[in-house]
Amino acid sequence: MNALAATNRNFRHAARILGLDPKLEKSLLIPLREIKVECTIPKDDGTLASYVGFRVQHDNARGPMKGGIRYHPEVDPDEVNALAQLMTWKTAVADIPYGGAKGGIGCNPRDLSISELERLTRVFTQKIHDLIGIHRDVPAPDMGTNAQTMAWILDEYSKFHGHSPAVVTGKPIDLGGSLGREAATGLGVVFATEALLTENGKSISDMKFALQGFGNVGSWAAKFIHERGGKVVAVSDITGALKNPNGIDIPALLKYKDDNGTLKDFRGGDSMDPNDLLVCECDVLIPCALGGVLNKENAADVKAKFIIEAANHPTDPEADEILSRKGVLILPDIYANSGGVTVSYFEWVQNIQGFMWDEEKVNFELSRYMRRAFHEIKAMCKIHDCNLRMGAFTLGVNRVARATLLRGWEA
C-alpha cells in the first residue's frame, strides 16, 4: 500500500472514531492548493535543462503551512500529497500552530554541481515566492536538501519581500538558524521512547535497541540512547549493517563513519544482512530510514516488543495488524519523529521575535512538548479505546477539525 493510500486510510479510520461530518471529512482530505512550476536553468556546460518543481499546501486552519522541500529523481505527486497531509496531523499532534505542506523538485542532486543547485533553487523560489511566506507557508530541508538550500531560498525570497529570516527553517546558524535543530528529530525520538518506556515501567538503560538507518536521525538517536545507558545491538544504513549482542560502541562508530563514510569493516561488530536487522533480537526497533519497510512478509518475525517510527510511514497497515496481534507497541511516526518540526517552530518563533535561545532552552522546551503530546495521545487512547496510532490520529484530526469549524468552513 503506498503512502497516500495508507495515510488516507488512517485518516478515515480516525474520522469514523470521532464521528466527523462526511462533508467535513472530505473537505479535510483535499489539499488547499497544489502548485506545479517549470524550472529551466543553464547548466555549467552552457546547455539548458528543465525540471518540474511543486508544492502541495494541504491545510492552514491552525496556522501557516509547514513542510520540507526534497530534491529527488522520483518526486511522486501522490507521495508529496500524503506527506503534506501527514504534516497537517503531525503539527496538530505536537500542538504547534501550523498546517501541513510538502514540496520538491524532480532532480538528482548528486548529478548537479553546487552552482547548478543554487541556480535551480533560486529559479524555484522566484516561481513560488508569492505563495510562501512567514505567515503563509514556511519550507524546511528534506531529502536531498540542507541548510545551504534554505539559505539560497531565504536570500532569493528576501529580494522580493525584504529581509525575512522566518520564511524558512533549518537554516545555517549564522543566518538565524536555531541551536539544537540538527539533533532535534533524533533527540525527539529519544524523548518519545523514554515516555513510552516509562509508561510501561521500563527505562532506556534496561533495553537493547536496533536502528535501521544511520543518517541524521539514526546517528543522533543512537548517540543519545548510548549516553542514557541503552545498548545499541544492531545498526544499518545503505552501506551495510552490523551487530554486536554486547552493544556497539556508538561514539567509535560515529567517528568511523565520519572518517570513512561507511559502516563497512567497522571492527566493533559483525557484519549482517541489512534485511535481518528488522527481525533481529532486540527490545526496541527504530526504523529511521525509508517507508514501507515493515510489511506482511516480515512483520510476523519481528522480535522487538516496542517499535518507534522515526521514519515516515515505515509500517504498512497489514504489518500494523500482525504486530498489534503479537502485542507489539508501535509509537506512530506522526508523534515519534515530530521533534524536527517542533524545533523548526522554535526557530520560526526566535526569528519573528529577533531573540535567539541557547541550546539548553531549545532542548528543555522540546522535551516538554514531546512529553505533553504523549500524555495527550494516551488520553485519546483511553477515551476511544484505541491503539497509539489511532490515539495520535484522532488527537491531530480532532484539533484540525475543531479549528476548521470554528473558522466557519461552510460560509
Side-chain angles (χ1 to χ4, degrees):
M1 186 178 284
N2 73 12
L4 184 62
T7 308
N8 285 354
R9 175 175 156 162
N10 286 329
F11 166 75
R12 290 207 170 91
H13 190 176
R16 270 204 311 279
I17 292 173
L18 292 165
L20 287 193
D21 175 330
K23 293 198 294 296
L24 176 60
E25 179 183 333
K26 192 175 176 194
S27 158
L28 288 177
L29 258 190
I30 300 168
L32 173 90
R33 185 185 289 125
E34 293 188 37
I35 305 148
K36 192 172 178 183
V37 294
E38 177 255 357
C39 304
T40 300
I41 58 159
K43 303 269 287 210
D44 293 344
D45 62 8
T47 60
L48 287 179
S50 288
Y51 303 92
V52 176
F54 48 84
R55 185 85 177 152
V56 174
Q57 298 176 329
H58 178 256
D59 189 278
N60 63 357
R62 297 181 65 257
M65 294 162 286
K66 185 93 194 73
I69 287 182
R70 52 176 55 182
Y71 288 2
H72 193 266
E74 277 119 43
V75 172
D76 165 47
D78 260 9
E79 187 183 23
V80 173
N81 230 310
L83 292 169
Q85 191 196 131
L86 218 48
M87 285 302 294
T88 298
W89 317 133
K90 187 182 290 186
T91 50
V93 169
D95 204 15
I96 51 183
Y98 286 142
K102 206 72 170 188
I105 300 177
C107 69
N108 189 345
R110 289 204 181 101
D111 297 344
L112 297 171
S113 69
I114 296 288
S115 59
E116 287 168 343
L117 280 170
E118 178 174 353
R119 286 197 288 276
L120 182 57
T121 304
R122 288 182 183 278
V123 169
F124 182 51
T125 309
Q126 287 163 17
K127 297 279 175 95
I128 65 166
H129 76 88
D130 51 350
L131 294 164
I132 61 172
I134 299 169
H135 300 294
R136 184 170 283 181
D137 178 4
V138 181
D142 199 308
M143 242 156 53
T145 56
N146 55 23
Q148 179 59 70
T149 321
M150 296 306 108
W152 292 328
I153 295 176
L154 162 63
D155 183 69
E156 198 60 33
Y157 181 86
S158 297
K159 289 176 185 174
F160 295 95
H161 302 274
H163 184 56
S164 315
V167 73
V168 286
T169 58
K171 298 181 292 295
I173 302 290
D174 296 332
L175 289 176
S178 176
L179 296 169
R181 172 67 188 87
E182 201 189 325
T185 311
L187 184 57
V189 165
V190 174
F191 286 146
T193 307
E194 279 180 328
L196 179 65
L197 293 177
T198 305
E199 175 82 16
N200 288 277
K202 297 182 165 51
S203 76
I204 285 184
S205 54
D206 314 329
M207 294 279 156
K208 290 183 172 178
F209 294 80
L211 288 93
Q212 184 198 40
F214 207 64
N216 175 285
V217 181
S219 56
W220 282 106
K223 177 181 183 290
F224 295 127
I225 286 166
H226 185 80
E227 284 170 4
R228 285 161 170 74
K231 231 184 229 183
V232 178
V233 294
V235 296
S236 72
D237 71 357
I238 44 173
T239 65
L242 52 108
K243 60 178 178 184
N244 182 341
N246 300 316
I248 296 164
D249 180 347
I250 295 297
L253 180 61
L254 287 166
K255 186 177 181 328
Y256 181 85
K257 191 179 174 193
D258 256 4
D259 296 345
N260 302 287
T262 174
L263 300 180
K264 236 162 74 183
D265 303 325
F266 175 69
R267 305 235 162 150
D270 306 320
S271 85
M272 67 188 288
D273 179 343
N275 296 324
D276 293 343
L277 182 125
L278 297 164
V279 296
C280 74
E281 284 290 345
C282 64
D283 302 307
V284 183
L285 172 64
I286 310 184
C288 318
L290 296 167
V293 292
L294 290 165
N295 47 46
K296 58 176 188 284
E297 272 75 55
N298 59 12
D301 303 323
V302 169
K303 307 202 177 47
K305 301 170 199 67
F306 302 95
I307 294 174
I308 315 292
E309 295 189 335
N312 279 326
H313 181 61
T315 316
D316 268 359
E318 293 97 331
D320 228 351
E321 283 167 23
I322 297 167
L323 292 162
S324 291
R325 283 202 296 273
K326 286 177 63 172
V328 178
L329 284 179
I330 303 176
L331 204 53
D333 51 1
I334 61 168
Y335 164 66
N337 65 25
S338 62
V341 71
T342 303
V343 175
S344 275
Y345 163 59
F346 298 161
E347 180 179 333
W348 180 76
V349 166
Q350 292 169 73
N351 293 154
I352 287 173
Q353 289 189 327
F355 180 80
M356 304 309 283
W357 303 352
D358 58 28
E359 193 163 351
E360 201 180 344
K361 179 172 169 65
V362 173
N363 293 344
F364 171 75
E365 290 293 338
L366 174 60
S367 127
R368 202 168 65 82
Y369 270 74
M370 294 299 293
R371 287 183 217 294
R372 184 182 68 191
F374 181 77
H375 294 303
E376 289 169 342
I377 291 168
K378 286 299 290 185
M380 287 305 255
C381 293
K382 225 181 215 135
I383 294 167
H384 299 295
D385 187 24
C386 59
N387 63 15
L388 288 163
R389 188 180 311 282
M390 275 306 117
F393 263 89
T394 50
L395 177 65
V397 171
N398 191 39
R399 280 182 173 151
V400 178
R402 276 177 26 205
T404 305
L405 288 170
L406 285 167
R407 291 181 67 148
W409 70 291
E410 285 181 304

